[in-house]
Amino acid sequence: MKIGIVGLGLIGGSLAIDLHALGHTVLGTSRQLKICQQAIAQGIVTDASPELSLLTAADVVFLCTPLGSIEAIFNQLAPCLSPDTIVTDVGSVKQPIVAAIAPRWVNFVGGHPMAGTAESGLDAAQSQLFAGNPYVLTPIATTPPQALSTVSELVRSLQGQLYQCPPADHDRAVAWISHLPVMLSASLLTACITEPDRAVIELAKKLASSGFRDTSRVGGGNPELGLMMAQYNQPELLRCLELYRQSLEQLIYSIQQQNWPALEAQLTQTQHARPEFIKEFIKRPPA
Ligand code: NAP
């Protein structure tokens, strides 16, 4: 199959590595000529160019640029493609992308590989990034079954765990397990740095260990990613934050009232809830 990839960064580059290794013709585009040359030199693409017209011959095109640029890239790319070309994207929010592209490109299948690292760019691309990890496709009523089955087959060939759901369900689910945790972790760090006693905060930094490392990790990542989550998944994120505020207020109230049985009940409930959220994750092979 001829596969086009727009954006040879972490996700696009990783797709190129695996799909090329599987024997597909992989055509990549990047705005930077030196990235195209690097991808060719590393043998992860068949050809690469800053010109989107390179993808005219593609059977399937993956849009792998940041969320804020996917629609604009599609607008530039569409005139270069045959109507039979299947277009998919990898953006981590689905409703706005599907709403923008599906009405204009019938062979569009929204997608989100739930895999990544804290790095970005082609140098961060790696083989087997998607193996064992969820890869969500978000078809809608008008999505042609053939387009869905072609993208599904490609996902399976990457050894991704294929899930299908409506775009709205995807966005609501990832708000809970991805976007809300980024905001909570960021607000934890923000609160810590408001400690007025400099000596205390310096001591805290020396004492910080695995618990703080785990709870602060996603809030200390790339600000651009957090910003995109908030901008593109605003209604779902706000809904989760509001419910989170209620649960935080409940905790504060229990502690203020020294209602230790209520606090213990809440912490017992969360102790039981956590394994349900991570049981699928711990079944996966280590990255
Ligand atoms: P990345 O490593 O920064 O790669 C994105 C690439 O897109 C860059 O290498 C850049 O290449 C190109 N690009 C950047 N801005 C552009 C623009 N305005 N117009 C055209 N091209 C542009 O980012 P990534 O982590 O691969 O993320 C790409 C997509 O994957 C995003 O939509 C994100 O939501 C999704 N995603 C990310 C992760 C993750 O963990 N990182 C996981 C799942 C899905 P050039 O500058 O060379 O053109």
Side-chain angles (χ1 to χ4, degrees):
M1 203 179 285
K2 289 196 176 87
I3 311 273
I5 296 181
V6 184
L8 293 168
L10 167 67
I11 301 294
S14 300
L15 281 169
I17 292 172
D18 286 355
L19 292 170
H20 201 224
L22 286 165
H24 297 288
T25 297
V26 175
L27 307 168
T29 69
S30 158
R31 294 170 304 176
Q32 304 177 68
L33 182 60
K34 67 171 190 204
I35 294 293
C36 297
Q37 291 166 339
Q38 182 184 333
I40 294 169
Q42 289 178 346
I44 65 169
V45 293
T46 315
D47 197 5
S49 163
E51 300 297 331
L52 291 172
S53 57
L54 178 74
L55 308 187
T56 299
D59 303 304
V60 178
V61 174
F62 287 80
L63 305 177
C64 303
T65 62
L67 274 172
S69 62
I70 292 177
E71 186 182 354
I73 285 286
F74 169 76
N75 290 338
Q76 291 170 43
L77 178 68
C80 307
L81 301 179
S82 132
D84 295 336
T85 309
I86 296 166
V87 177
T88 184
D89 77 305
V90 298
S92 40
V93 181
K94 296 278 43 99
Q95 282 186 99
I97 303 291
V98 174
I101 300 181
R104 297 168 50 214
W105 200 265
V106 66
N107 278 312
F108 177 74
V109 184
H112 179 201
M114 306 282 302
T117 69
E119 311 297 319
S120 61
L122 182 58
D123 288 335
Q126 54 181 260
S127 65
Q128 299 285 297
L129 182 67
F130 312 100
N133 286 315
Y135 196 125
V136 191
L137 297 181
T138 59
I140 55 173
T142 53
T143 309
Q146 184 55 47
L148 179 59
S149 92
T150 301
V151 181
S152 301
E153 269 317 301
L154 287 171
V155 169
R156 285 195 198 94
S157 73
L158 297 165
Q159 297 170 52
Q161 281 181 10
L162 186 64
Y163 290 89
Q164 269 183 43
C165 64
D169 290 3
H170 167 276
D171 292 355
R172 185 166 279 199
V174 297
W176 279 119
I177 54 84
S178 175
H179 304 173
L180 179 65
V182 167
M183 299 305 152
L184 303 194
S185 177
S187 68
L188 166 70
L189 286 160
T190 307
C192 287
I193 57 183
T194 60
E195 164 60 52
D197 189 330
R198 209 175 161 75
V200 166
I201 205 64
E202 289 309 316
L203 178 63
K205 286 177 189 169
K206 290 191 177 74
L207 301 181
S209 188
S210 56
F212 192 79
R213 179 198 62 195
D214 294 347
T215 48
S216 64
R217 183 175 66 82
V218 293
N222 181 352
E224 195 185 325
L225 286 182
L227 191 61
M228 293 276 177
M229 291 168 179
Q231 286 176 332
Y232 283 83
N233 206 16
Q234 188 204 28
E236 295 304 340
L237 179 56
L238 280 176
R239 180 179 157 274
C240 293
L241 280 165
E242 189 49 52
L243 290 166
Y244 174 74
R245 176 163 37 201
Q246 289 171 22
S247 93
L248 185 61
E249 277 167 3
Q250 192 183 330
L251 272 176
I252 293 170
Y253 187 71
S254 298
I255 295 169
Q256 278 172 340
Q257 300 300 308
Q258 299 187 11
N259 188 345
W260 308 130
L263 181 63
E264 186 180 19
Q266 192 174 349
L267 294 176
T268 302
Q269 190 184 37
T270 58
Q271 182 188 35
H272 290 143
R274 183 171 184 265
E276 289 299 308
F277 279 93
I278 58 166
K279 69 180 182 202
E280 292 301 321
F281 171 74
I282 46 190
K283 278 191 218 158
R284 289 175 214 145

